[in-house]
Amino acid sequence: MLVRDAMSTVVLTIGPDHTLRQAAALMSARRIGAAVVLDPDDSGLGILTERDILDSVGLGQNTDTERAHDHTTTDVVFAAPSWTLEEAARAMAHGGFRHLIVLDHEEPVGIVSVRDIIRCWAPLRQHVPA
């Protein structure tokens, strides 16, 4: 199975000046764990995850004043729609992250998460004879 078969194609894109509270509210409303941060003036594409927001809260930072830009991962590993789920899982395990932005012709077309991979693999594992 390929990344294109598992990825979420509705991608939340936010700007670098969104507050962490705004980002969290948007992510919560969509029940997703990551947002693509688009900063054309600086680093281009980055990712802000629920973990980034949680780390900020844990440090006692104010989510109403902290900006996405300061918590965005910009050293991003991108997946291609044609990657296998095994390749995506290997990249996640190697990098220690749970989301990959999926690029097609330099444009974000989806996000694949550990949850997406598990959702695809779990039914396959149930039907394997012992």
Side-chain angles (χ1 to χ4, degrees):
M1 188 170 277
L2 302 178
V3 164
R4 75 171 48 93
D5 303 317
M7 69 183 189
S8 300
T9 57
V10 178
V11 179
L12 173 61
T13 303
I14 63 172
D17 289 325
H18 275 79
T19 66
L20 292 188
R21 182 177 304 280
Q22 290 170 323
L26 291 167
M27 290 163 62
S28 177
R30 290 163 178 78
R31 300 185 52 78
I32 58 173
V36 172
V37 180
L38 180 57
D39 189 352
D41 296 329
D42 191 20
S43 58
L45 288 178
I47 191 166
L48 180 75
T49 67
E50 57 198 354
R51 172 97 26 151
D52 299 321
I53 296 168
L54 183 63
D55 287 346
S56 177
V57 170
L59 291 171
Q61 296 174 334
N62 184 340
T63 58
D64 289 318
T65 58
E66 289 294 315
R67 302 292 173 185
H69 177 271
D70 296 320
H71 300 275
T72 297
T73 300
T74 56
D75 184 20
V76 180
V77 175
F78 297 102
S82 59
W83 279 19
T84 65
L85 293 185
E86 289 83 2
E87 289 173 300
R90 193 175 311 113
M92 290 176 185
H94 182 262
F97 40 79
R98 298 179 292 163
H99 300 86
L100 289 169
I101 299 172
V102 182
L103 292 184
D104 191 17
H105 299 92
E106 304 297 318
E107 294 294 322
V109 295
I111 292 185
V112 65
S113 69
V114 170
R115 180 180 296 154
D116 296 326
I117 293 171
I118 290 170
R119 190 175 14 249
C120 290
W121 282 349
L124 297 175
R125 302 295 190 253
Q126 291 175 1
H127 300 292
V128 175

